[in-house]
Amino acid sequence: VFTYSEDTMQFVDAAADMFPYMLVNIGSGVSILKVTGDDEFERISGTSLGGGTLWGLLNLLTGVRSFDAMLEMTKTGDNAKVDMMVGDIYGTNYGRIGLKASNIASSMGGVYRKTLDKHFDDSDVARSILYMVSNNIGQIAYLNAQLHGIRHIYFGGYFIRGHPLTMHTLSYAINFWSKGEMRALFLRHEGFLGATGAFFIGERAKPATPDVALGVAPDVSQTLNEDKAPDVRRTRGRTYSFTENFSIAGAIADDAIGSLGMLDREPSKLEPLAQLVNTAKCPYTPDTVDLTHEPRQQEYWISAMQRNTNGLLDLADSGALPGCSDPSSRQRLSRFVSLYLTHLHKLQHRPLSYGAMSVRALLGLREQCLHEVGLEDIFAGVKKHETDEALNALPALLHEIDAMNECERPRVLLQNVLAGNMFDWGATQLRGALAEGSLDLDKARDQITWRPEFDNGADFVARIQQHTYSQAVVFVDNSGADVCLGVLPFVRFLLQQNTRVVLAANSRPALNDVTDRELVDIVHRARVIDPAFRTDMLSVCGTGSSGPCLDLRKLDARLVQTSQNADLVVIVGMGRAIHSNYYARFSCDSLKLAVFKNQMAADAASAHIYDALCKYERAVV
């Protein structure tokens, strides 16, 4: 959803109080719908003056037959040569009633004032009629909104087609008639609104059928109590969601300001985390930095992604990516690099092509491109090797922790989580050390700096020494040392306090992030090492995500259900706690643990590279 004015596209999140809203669907004619709930709507008005009117009149007057050609003509037209303007009548502005000299007084009214014998340019006529149709639709929409007490007006339909002048005119009309109190809202998929709605309704009506899972453990509390994780099956039908995949993108029209991706059907329904606060007073935005209108940030992140992507070829050539060593995988990796770099080049010139630009969006697009060329998990071999090594080191670490003073132990556990988070193959600065195998937990801990601006872990330690949480949901990050030597000892401490724990991991691979299936196996192996990892108190769920960042409004419904009673939310990792969710607030206590491993991310927060983020916040009241 976005607003548009004067060549400026501004994406907006859906308001917490979005209902009721009005949908103005512009096709051949116009239907105006009042929507009061997810499945509650009624047609309240409409007009026969719509896209068909524009098409028909311009065909009769200019002979042009293509709708796109008609819109193209409007770009160079001057409606003042055809319309009667306020300035034509009064010679200047008519300030007493709020009219500018450039306002249209009469559409096509300038024809008879100039001369009936004059030849008018087709582009001038086209622009005049586009304004006539769009202004009238805007005015009718505003009047209906006033009549029904509605403040949110969404415009959709194939008439708009991402055409800048059309959207500008509708925006101007709503702004003019509402005296600046309302804005026109547009939809990136406006031309396919009816088709996608019909598709969703049809899909929802299908009977549920069993299907083989794609990598999510749906009932992991049961899975953890099995000696071996069973084949996971789920029911498809009513419980699913859709996400947009831009690896293969197109546009509704050549001059449309945005592109459209494919719809990927997610195997589970995506819902907001129950504890997430998202209100008008405290709105939730997943992205910490909006790159949409930050040219310097855009340039940095796109360049960083380009370097990082080319670096994958070097890793494969050096043998650091065992999964890409054979000729077929190496060829697919080259295809991925070409595909992703093509998208990045497009975004350099048209930053808003795929919606609001953010680090989360760029990282998500990378994973989509990897999957598109058939590379589901290029770090699989790396993850297995690092996880095996970390689990071998786990018994000695647990023994060391158990020997500590009880007052000292919680702080050390937090430090270990941060040290483990340094094992991140997505961090370009650390990739060389990881490839060489020269980074261990002690060295990682020594690299981290703790500054009071980003560390109030002492408050969490004080709280946990006096209070036992009922349930914690922990969003984990990387495999290997991160989850095994950082997160698991911390989780063990919570379990020893009789806190139930839900571990939330990616449902599908992304870089060296641990997946839910991998985490089930890791917990089984940790349980053999130490029975304190009680499976009756510990469960693993997939987040429904396949990227390094996290949108807490779109989580696997089974995770949301399993963690609905959590009174502590823990988010681990730079992608999940710095690039996204840095400002997220919750109705329960929360703890964000990460390391600033990127210079631009550190600069944006006034931090230094390798500063620790240990951010404890009490519940929002």
Side-chain angles (χ1 to χ4, degrees):
V1 176
F2 61 93
T3 61
Y4 189 86
S5 178
E6 301 291 346
D7 295 327
T8 300
M9 187 180 186
Q10 183 68 52
F11 287 92
V12 296
D13 290 323
D17 57 344
M18 64 180 296
F19 297 114
Y21 65 82
M22 200 167 74
L23 174 61
V24 183
N25 197 40
I26 313 172
S28 300
V30 180
S31 284
I32 299 178
L33 306 175
K34 176 183 177 181
V35 183
T36 54
D38 288 331
D39 294 305
E40 300 173 7
F41 60 89
E42 61 174 320
R43 187 180 188 275
I44 56 175
S45 186
T47 174
S48 60
L49 196 151
T53 308
L54 176 75
W55 201 336
L57 286 175
L58 284 181
N59 175 251
L60 290 173
L61 293 172
T62 69
V64 176
R65 304 173 72 89
S66 163
F67 192 72
D68 285 330
M70 293 174 182
L71 294 180
E72 185 66 25
M73 283 195 305
T74 65
K75 293 181 180 179
T76 57
D78 181 2
N79 67 296
K81 296 179 179 179
V82 179
D83 294 338
M84 181 189 299
M85 315 302 287
V86 168
D88 294 331
I89 301 173
Y90 300 104
T92 184
N93 298 336
Y94 194 176
R96 290 176 60 187
I97 57 175
L99 294 177
K100 297 179 181 178
S102 58
N103 289 147
I104 300 171
S106 175
S107 295
M108 307 292 289
V111 173
Y112 80 88
R113 285 179 62 92
K114 295 173 173 64
T115 173
L116 294 177
D117 298 325
K118 177 179 173 61
H119 172 75
F120 294 93
D121 190 86
D122 287 348
S123 62
D124 298 336
V125 173
R127 196 172 184 109
S128 171
I129 294 179
L130 176 66
Y131 280 163
M132 178 184 72
V133 172
S134 300
N135 279 324
N136 273 274
I137 293 172
Q139 183 177 18
I140 292 170
Y142 166 73
L143 292 173
N144 274 281
Q146 286 291 95
L147 183 64
H148 292 270
I150 296 174
R151 296 192 55 80
H152 306 300
I153 306 176
Y154 295 85
F155 288 91
Y158 207 68
F159 168 76
I160 300 174
R161 297 169 65 78
H163 187 238
L165 187 57
T166 303
M167 292 188 292
H168 172 71
T169 308
L170 290 168
S171 296
Y172 181 85
I174 296 299
N175 182 71
F176 178 84
W177 291 110
S178 71
K179 293 182 172 56
E181 294 184 2
M182 299 170 68
R183 299 179 299 171
L185 299 169
F186 299 96
L187 311 167
R188 284 198 312 105
H189 304 85
E190 91 283 276
F192 301 100
L193 198 59
T196 51
F199 174 70
F200 291 154
I201 291 174
E203 285 290 292
R204 190 168 58 181
K206 287 183 179 179
T209 55
D211 194 9
V212 178
L214 303 178
V216 179
D219 185 2
V220 191
S221 58
Q222 176 184 353
T223 304
L224 290 178
N225 284 300
E226 299 288 342
D227 292 332
K228 183 179 179 181
D231 289 337
V232 180
R233 292 182 176 270
R234 71 159 67 80
T235 298
R236 274 191 178 179
R238 297 172 185 268
T239 53
Y240 58 84
S241 292
F242 288 88
T243 57
E244 191 167 10
N245 185 334
F246 288 106
S247 60
I248 304 297
I252 193 172
D254 290 340
D255 65 343
I257 60 175
S259 298
L260 304 176
M262 303 175 291
L263 288 181
D264 279 351
R265 175 170 166 166
E266 299 296 329
S268 61
K269 187 177 181 182
L270 302 180
E271 297 178 347
L273 184 71
Q275 295 80 1
L276 178 66
V277 174
N278 186 17
T279 62
K281 184 179 179 180
C282 186
Y284 169 73
T285 301
D287 302 308
T288 304
V289 178
D290 181 2
L291 306 183
T292 304
H293 301 294
E294 295 287 345
R296 177 172 167 269
Q297 292 258 15
Q298 287 177 15
E299 180 181 359
Y300 171 86
W301 282 108
I302 290 177
S303 296
M305 296 298 174
Q306 290 170 333
R307 292 192 302 272
N308 193 290
T309 300
N310 285 316
L312 290 176
L313 292 175
D314 297 332
L315 285 176
D317 292 339
S318 69
L321 294 179
C324 295
S325 57
D326 63 281
S328 176
S329 296
R330 182 60 170 76
Q331 186 178 33
R332 286 197 296 270
L333 185 61
S334 296
R335 285 174 51 207
F336 154 72
V337 170
S338 176
L339 177 61
Y340 188 49
L341 291 181
T342 298
H343 283 293
L344 293 178
H345 179 74
K346 179 178 180 179
L347 290 170
Q348 279 181 314
H349 296 88
R350 302 182 67 178
L352 305 182
S353 292
Y354 304 147
M357 186 189 288
S358 64
V359 177
R360 177 173 58 93
L362 292 174
L363 292 172
L365 177 60
R366 178 179 62 187
E367 299 307 316
Q368 290 175 347
C369 290
L370 279 167
H371 298 162
E372 179 63 27
V373 302
L375 293 173
E376 290 296 320
D377 194 357
I378 62 175
F379 283 91
V382 173
K383 290 191 291 183
K384 183 179 184 307
H385 172 71
E386 290 188 348
T387 295
D388 289 344
E389 284 198 340
L391 285 174
N392 287 336
L394 181 60
L397 178 63
L398 295 180
H399 179 73
E400 179 185 333
I401 290 170
D402 289 343
M404 291 179 183
N405 181 286
E406 288 188 6
C407 295
E408 178 188 12
R409 189 178 303 152
R411 182 64 181 177
V412 172
L413 288 169
L414 292 180
Q415 292 171 348
N416 284 351
V417 173
L418 273 298
N421 196 239
M422 292 283 281
F423 291 77
D424 181 359
W425 283 79
T428 306
Q429 292 89 337
L430 295 169
R431 187 175 281 179
L434 291 171
E436 295 168 1
S438 60
L439 186 69
D440 59 32
L441 199 67
D442 290 333
K443 289 180 181 178
R445 191 185 296 111
D446 291 341
Q447 281 189 262
I448 298 172
T449 53
W450 298 79
R451 298 171 60 200
E453 302 98 305
F454 308 103
D455 171 28
N456 66 340
D459 294 341
F460 175 75
V461 171
R463 173 68 172 165
I464 207 167
Q465 288 175 336
Q466 299 175 359
H467 173 78
T468 298
Y469 288 101
S470 173
Q471 184 186 52
V473 55
V474 182
F475 292 90
V476 300
D477 190 7
N478 305 301
S479 61
D482 189 345
V483 69
C484 297
L485 304 181
V487 173
L488 284 185
F490 175 73
V491 166
R492 175 174 172 262
F493 173 76
L494 293 176
L495 293 172
Q496 290 170 334
Q497 287 201 319
N498 278 329
T499 299
R500 303 181 68 87
V501 177
V502 179
L503 291 173
N506 268 11
S507 298
R508 291 174 301 282
L511 293 171
N512 66 315
D513 291 3
V514 67
T515 67
D516 56 347
R517 277 182 180 262
E518 293 164 345
L519 192 52
V520 168
D521 178 66
I522 289 171
V523 171
H524 273 291
R525 295 168 67 182
R527 181 187 178 192
V528 173
I529 294 171
D530 190 335
F533 293 103
R534 299 170 49 188
T535 54
D536 61 320
M537 297 283 287
L538 177 61
S539 59
V540 177
C541 287
T543 60
S545 173
S546 59
C549 299
L550 195 61
D551 185 345
L552 294 172
R553 299 167 303 186
K554 300 176 181 179
L555 299 177
D556 191 311
R558 291 164 296 204
L559 167 61
V560 174
Q561 176 67 26
T562 304
S563 61
Q564 63 179 336
N565 295 320
D567 50 356
L568 175 65
V569 173
V570 181
I571 305 178
V572 179
M574 185 168 69
R576 293 164 182 79
I578 293 178
H579 292 325
S580 59
N581 301 305
Y582 187 78
Y583 297 111
R585 299 300 305 274
F586 302 91
S587 59
C588 65
D589 291 1
S590 65
L591 180 64
K592 297 166 187 172
L593 300 168
V595 179
F596 289 94
K597 292 166 286 191
N598 174 276
Q599 188 63 58
M600 182 61 78
D603 290 345
S606 298
H608 299 151
I609 195 77
Y610 301 136
D611 273 354
L613 175 70
C614 186
K615 187 178 181 181
Y616 174 61
E617 293 177 310
R618 298 298 302 273
V620 173
V621 179

